[in-house]
C-alpha cells in the first residue's frame, strides 16, 4: 500500500485568474439535497483513483511518520477506526445511509465538484475510515468512482463506487486541490482502500483526499513533483524513523549525561545506539512504551500492558497455570524468570553480599530483607500485640501464637509446633542427632544457639554482672540463677525434712544427707564429703594451709 500525500499544488488558472473548467462550473448547480448521481465531466472519465503499486499491502501506513509498519505504528500506536453504519442489503441509497453520525454530505467547497463530505465535529489525527466499498470490476469503467487495486505489485482489479446501492459514503470524498486542503491520506491495506486523517480536522471542514497524479491532472490539479512526499518502506532498509528515535534518545541521554560524570560521551552514545538499534523488533516493542500505548488488556481484571508476552504471563494468575517446574525440588512457578531466580537456591554461589556486616546470600531479595536489619526498619507489625519485624514471613509465623495454629506435626510422637525449625530440632530427640560439637570440650547439642551459649564457658569474658553484689558471670542464665540469692523467695523444698533453699544446686547437695551419697572424695586419705566446700576445707590438713581469720 502506498499512500499519496499532496504537497502544494498548482491549480490551473486562466488569464483572468479564474479556474479553468467550464464543465465543472455547470456541475456546481448540483444541490445539497439532490444527492443524485453526479455526472463526471467527460475529460475525467479516462482516470481512476490510483496509488503507487506496492508488493505487499499487509503493511499499515502511518501518516504521521509517513512510513509503513507491519502492524501498528510503534511510535503513534493503532488507528482509531470509525466504522460506517450498517445498512441492510438492497437499500438503493446505501452509500448515503452508511455515513457515520459525525459526518455530513453536502455541496463541496470545491467549485464544480458536486457533493462532498464534511465533518460536523473536530476529528483528531489518526482516524481511519474504510474500506472504500463498491463493485469489484476487472476493467476501468471510467465512472470516476473507481479505485485501482494492486496485488503483489501488479494492477489487479478496481473497486467502483458508482452504484450507490453497493457502495458506501466514501464515494463522496473529493480530491484535495492543495496540500493545505488535504486532510486524508489514502492507502491500500489487505486489498481494501482506506482513508485516514493525518492532521486534525475542524468542524465544518471538508474531508479531502488525493486521487493520484493522473486523476488530479484531469481535475486540473498540477502537482509539483519535487514536493512529493513519498513514503519509505521500513522493512528491508534502515529507515528515518529509527534515526529520529535515535536522535531523541541521544538528546535525552545528553541531558542525563550531566549527572554521569565518569562516562565518556562517545561511549554513552554508542551504548544508547546499541540499545535502540540492535534489534528492530525490540525497538518496535520498546517504542510502544514511549507512545504510552497499552495494546494488551486482560479480559478478567483491569491489567493492561504493551507486550503480548506480558499479557500471556499475566493470564496465568487467572488460570493458575504454572508451566515451569524445578527438577531438583519440584517447585513450580508461572514465569521463567522466577525459575531462574529459584535455581540460585540450589547453587552454592552466594553472590549478594552485605557491605555492612559481610553477610552473603544467594538472592538479591534476601539481601534486601537483610538490609532492613541495618536500617532498623521494621515494616511488619502485629495487629494483636506490639511485636514487629522486618520480614513478612516472620510476622506470619508470629501470628500463629495468636491463632494457635501449629502446622508442623511430628510423625513419631504427635508433637506439634508453629515453626518448622522447632519441629526439625524436635526430631533430633528421636534420631539422637546432635549436630553441633564443641571443639574445646567435646560437648554436643542439637541447636546452634545452644552451642553459641556454651562457647561462653570457654571464653574469659564475663559480660553479665549482678547490680546488687557485683558478681560477674559468662552466661545470662547464670546471672538469672544468681539473682535468686538476693530474693526472699525459697523455691526449693525438701520432701523429707523441712529444709528449703533458693537454688536447685543447694537442694541437690542437701538431698545427699538423706541418701548418704558422698560425691566428693579426698584423693589423699579417701575421706568422703557431700559438699565440695567441705572437701576443700579438709584438703588444708594435707597441704598445711591455714585460713586467715
Ligand atoms: C469519487 S467522486 C467524489 C464525489 C463527487 N463529488 C460526487 O458528488 O459524487 C469524484 C468526482 O468528484 C469530482 N471532484 C472530486 N474532486 C474534485 C476536485 N478537486 N475538483 C473538481 N472536481 C472534483 C470530480 O467530478 C470527480 O470525478
Amino acid at each position: 500500500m502506498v499512500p499519496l500525500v499532496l504537497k502544494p499544488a498548482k491549480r490551473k488558472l486562466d488569464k483572468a485568474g479564474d479556474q479553468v473548467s467550464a464543465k465543472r462550473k455547470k456541475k456546481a448547480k448540483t444541490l445539497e439535497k439532490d444527492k443524485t448521481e453526479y455526472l463526471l465531466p467527460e475529460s475525467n472519465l479516462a482516470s481512476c483513483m490510483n496509488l503507487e503499486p506496492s508488493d505487499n499491502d499487509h503493511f499499515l501506513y502511518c501518516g504521521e511518520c509517513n512510513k509503513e509498519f507491519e502492524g501498528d505504528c510503534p511510535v503513534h500506536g493503532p488507528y482509531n477506526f470509525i466504522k460506517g453504519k450498517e445498512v441492510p442489503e438492497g437499500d438503493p441509497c446505501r452509500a448515503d445511509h452508511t455515513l457515520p453520525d459525525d459526518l455530513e454530505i453536502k455541496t463541496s467547497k470545491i467549485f464544480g465538484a458536486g457533493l462532498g463530505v464534511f465533518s460536523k465535529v473536530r476529528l483528531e489525527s489518526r482516524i481511519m475510515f474504510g474500506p472504500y466499498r463498491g463493485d469489484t470490476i476487472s476493467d476501468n469503467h471510467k465512472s470516476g468512482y473507481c479505485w485501482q487495486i494492486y496485488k503483489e505489485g501488479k494492477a489487479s482489479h478496481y473497486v467502483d463506487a458508482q452504484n450507490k446501492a453497493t457502495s458506501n459514503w466514501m464515494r463522496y470524498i473529493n480530491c484535495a486541490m492543495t496540500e493545505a486542503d488535504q486532510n486524508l491520506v489514502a492507502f491500500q491495506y489487505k486489498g481494501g482502500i482506506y482513508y485516514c486523517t493525518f492532521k486534525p480536522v475542524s468542524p465544518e471542514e471538508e474531508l479531502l483526499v488525493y486521487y493520484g497524479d493522473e486523476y488530479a491532472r484531469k481535475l486540473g490539479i498540477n502537482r509539483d513533483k519535487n514536493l512529493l512526499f513519498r513514503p519509505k518502506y521500513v522493512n528491508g532498509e534502515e529507515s528515518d524513523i529509527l534515526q529520529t528515535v535515535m536522535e531523541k534518545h541521544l538528546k535525552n541521554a545528553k541531558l542525563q549525561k550531566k549527572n554521569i560524570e565518569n562516562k565518556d560521551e562517545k561511549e554513552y552514545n554508542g551504548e544508547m545506539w546499541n540499545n535502540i538499534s540492535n534489534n528492530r523488533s525490540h525497538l518496535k516493542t520498546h517504542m510502544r512504551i514511549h507512545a504510552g500505548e497499552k495494546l494488551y488488556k486482560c479480559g478478567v481484571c483491569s491489567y493492561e500492558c504493551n507486550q503480548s508476552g506480558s499479557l500471556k504471563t499475566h493470564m496465568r494468575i487467572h488460570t493458575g497455570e504454572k508451566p515451569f517446574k524445578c527438577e531438583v525440588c519440584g517447585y513450580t512457578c508461572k514465569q521463567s524468570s522466577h525459575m531462574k531466580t529459584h535455581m540460585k537456591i540450589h547453587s552454592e554461589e552466594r553472590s549478594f553480599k552485605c557491605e555492612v556486616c559481610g553477610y552473603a546470600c544467594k538472592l538479591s531479595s534476601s539481601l534486601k530483607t537483610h538490609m532492613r536489619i541495618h536500617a532498623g526498619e521494621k515494616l511488619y507489625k502485629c495487629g494483636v500485640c506490639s511485636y514487629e519485624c522486618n520480614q513478612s514471613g516472620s510476622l506470619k509465623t508470629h501470628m500463629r501464637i495468636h491463632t494457635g495454629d501449629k502446622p508442623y506435626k511430628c510423625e513419631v510422637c504427635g508433637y506439634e509446633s508453629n515453626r518448622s525449625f522447632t519441629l526439625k530440632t524436635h526430631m533430633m530427640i528421636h534420631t539422637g542427632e546432635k549436630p553441633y560439637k564443641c571443639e574445646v570440650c567435646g560437648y554436643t547439642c542439637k541447636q546452634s544457639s545452644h552451642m553459641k551459649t556454651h562457647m561462653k564457658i570457654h571464653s574469659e569474658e564475663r559480660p553479665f554482672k549482678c547490680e546488687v553484689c557485683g558478681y560477674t558471670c559468662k552466661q545470662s542464665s547464670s546471672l538469672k540463677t544468681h539473682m535468686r540469692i538476693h530474693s526472699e523467695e525459697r523455691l526449693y523444698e525438701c520432701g523429707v525434712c523441712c529444709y528449703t533453699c533458693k537454688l536447685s544446686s543447694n537442694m541437690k547437695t542437701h538431698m545427699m544427707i538423706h541418701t548418704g551419697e558422698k560425691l566428693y572424695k579426698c584423693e589423699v586419705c579417701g575421706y568422703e564429703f557431700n559438699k565440695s566446700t567441705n572437701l576443700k576445707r579438709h584438703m588444708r590438713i594435707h597441704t598445711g594451709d591455714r585460713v586467715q581469720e
Side-chain angles (χ1 to χ4, degrees), residues 537-545:
R537 201 181 303 124
H538 163 83
M539 288 310 286
R540 289 187 204 127
I541 298 168
H542 301 298
T543 59
D545 285 350

Side-chain angles (χ1 to χ4, degrees), residues 222-349:
N222 265 346
R223 194 176 50 175
D224 186 340
K225 284 248 175 257
N226 295 328
L227 291 173
L228 183 63
F229 185 45
R230 284 175 196 281
K232 282 181 192 153
Y233 287 93
V234 164
N235 296 282
E237 62 175 86
E238 200 61 70
S239 75
D240 292 345
I241 183 81
L242 289 179
Q243 192 59 39
T244 314
V245 168
M246 167 61 183
E247 277 160 14
K248 266 192 182 172
H249 273 269
L250 285 181
K251 212 169 153 192
N252 288 339
K254 275 173 191 160
L255 287 176
Q256 286 169 21
K257 192 186 161 282
K258 284 183 187 155
N259 304 327
I260 307 166
E261 305 287 7
N262 51 0
K263 224 171 210 183
D264 162 90
E265 186 172 329
K266 222 170 148 194
E267 180 197 340
Y268 195 74
N269 290 352
E271 273 176 27
M272 290 300 291
W273 176 243
N274 283 344
N275 287 346
I276 297 159
S277 64
N278 259 354
N279 189 320
R280 190 180 294 277
S281 71
H282 283 171
L283 175 63
K284 200 171 154 186
T285 309
H286 165 86
M287 289 314 295
R288 289 184 168 159
I289 295 164
H290 296 296
E293 188 192 342
K294 292 201 168 168
L295 276 183
Y296 304 97
K297 291 180 175 42
C298 172
V300 184
C301 70
S302 60
Y303 174 84
E304 46 186 33
C305 57
N306 50 29
Q307 289 185 32
S308 64
S310 306
L311 181 60
K312 205 171 150 190
T313 305
H314 165 83
M315 290 313 290
R316 291 184 189 136
I317 294 171
H318 302 299
T319 60
E321 196 197 349
K322 288 183 173 182
F324 304 97
K325 193 173 178 181
C326 173
E327 296 292 326
V328 185
C329 69
Y331 163 83
T332 54
C333 59
K334 296 184 180 90
Q335 291 186 36
S336 63
S337 60
H338 291 177
M339 183 53 73
K340 217 169 146 186
T341 307
H342 167 82
M343 289 314 286
K344 288 182 185 164
I345 293 170
H346 300 302
S347 101
E348 284 312 306
E349 214 182 328

Side-chain angles (χ1 to χ4, degrees), residues 332-542:
T332 54
C333 59
K334 296 184 180 90
Q335 291 186 36
S336 63
S337 60
H338 291 177
M339 183 53 73
K340 217 169 146 186
T341 307
H342 167 82
M343 289 314 286
K344 288 182 185 164
I345 293 170
H346 300 302
S347 101
E348 284 312 306
E349 214 182 328
R350 289 175 176 269
S351 34
F352 301 95
K353 208 167 177 179
C354 172
E355 297 289 327
V356 184
C357 68
Y359 162 82
C361 53
K362 295 172 182 175
L363 307 176
S364 68
S365 58
S366 307
L367 182 60
K368 213 167 146 189
T369 306
H370 166 83
M371 290 315 285
R372 292 191 190 135
I373 296 169
H374 300 299
E377 210 180 327
K378 291 198 169 173
L379 284 180
Y380 304 96
K381 290 178 173 47
C382 173
V384 183
C385 70
S386 60
Y387 173 82
E388 45 186 33
C389 57
N390 50 28
Q391 289 184 36
S392 65
S394 305
L395 182 59
K396 207 169 149 190
T397 305
H398 165 83
M399 290 313 288
R400 291 186 191 133
I401 295 170
H402 301 299
T403 60
D405 188 19
K406 291 185 173 180
Y408 305 100
K409 286 184 179 63
C410 172
E411 298 287 326
V412 184
C413 69
Y415 165 85
E416 290 177 345
S417 165
N418 54 19
R419 297 173 66 188
S420 65
F421 171 76
T422 316
L423 179 62
K424 216 169 148 188
T425 308
H426 164 86
M427 291 312 288
M428 288 173 191
I429 295 170
H430 302 299
T431 60
E433 198 190 348
K434 286 185 173 183
Y436 303 97
K437 192 174 178 179
C438 173
E439 295 292 324
V440 185
C441 67
Y443 163 82
T444 54
C445 60
K446 296 182 181 98
Q447 291 182 36
S448 67
S449 60
H450 292 176
M451 183 53 74
K452 220 167 147 184
T453 308
H454 166 82
M455 288 314 285
K456 287 178 184 165
I457 295 170
H458 301 300
S459 107
E460 286 311 305
E461 225 183 319
R462 299 175 80 87
F464 302 97
K465 195 173 177 178
C466 173
E467 296 292 325
V468 184
C469 66
Y471 161 83
T472 57
C473 56
K474 295 174 180 176
Q475 294 182 22
S476 67
S477 59
S478 305
L479 182 60
K480 214 167 150 188
T481 307
H482 166 83
M483 290 314 285
R484 287 198 206 125
I485 294 168
H486 300 299
S487 98
E488 287 309 308
E489 219 178 344
R490 299 178 80 83
L491 279 179
Y492 303 95
E493 282 175 20
C494 175
V496 184
C497 68
C498 59
Y499 172 81
T500 58
C501 61
K502 294 173 183 175
L503 304 176
S504 69
S505 56
N506 288 350
M507 185 53 77
K508 222 168 149 184
T509 308
H510 166 80
M511 288 312 286
M512 286 178 196
I513 296 169
H514 300 299
T515 59
E517 202 181 353
K518 289 183 175 173
L519 278 183
Y520 308 97
K521 196 174 177 178
C522 173
E523 297 290 325
V524 185
C525 65
Y527 203 85
E528 290 177 339
F529 302 91
N530 55 10
K531 282 184 177 177
S532 64
T533 47
N534 291 349
L535 176 61
K536 229 168 154 181
R537 201 181 303 124
H538 163 83
M539 288 310 286
R540 289 187 204 127
I541 298 168
H542 301 298

Side-chain angles (χ1 to χ4, degrees), residues 24 38 40 44 110 113 115 144-145 171 174-175 177 211 215:
R24 270 189 273 131
Y38 175 64
L40 291 169
N44 286 350
I110 300 171
L115 296 177
Y145 292 86
R171 72 189 290 282
N174 288 319
C175 182
M177 301 293 290
Y211 285 0
Y215 204 135

Side-chain angles (χ1 to χ4, degrees), residues 174-186:
N174 288 319
C175 182
M177 301 293 290
T178 67
E179 186 200 23
D181 288 344
Q182 185 177 346
N183 45 32
L184 296 178
V185 63

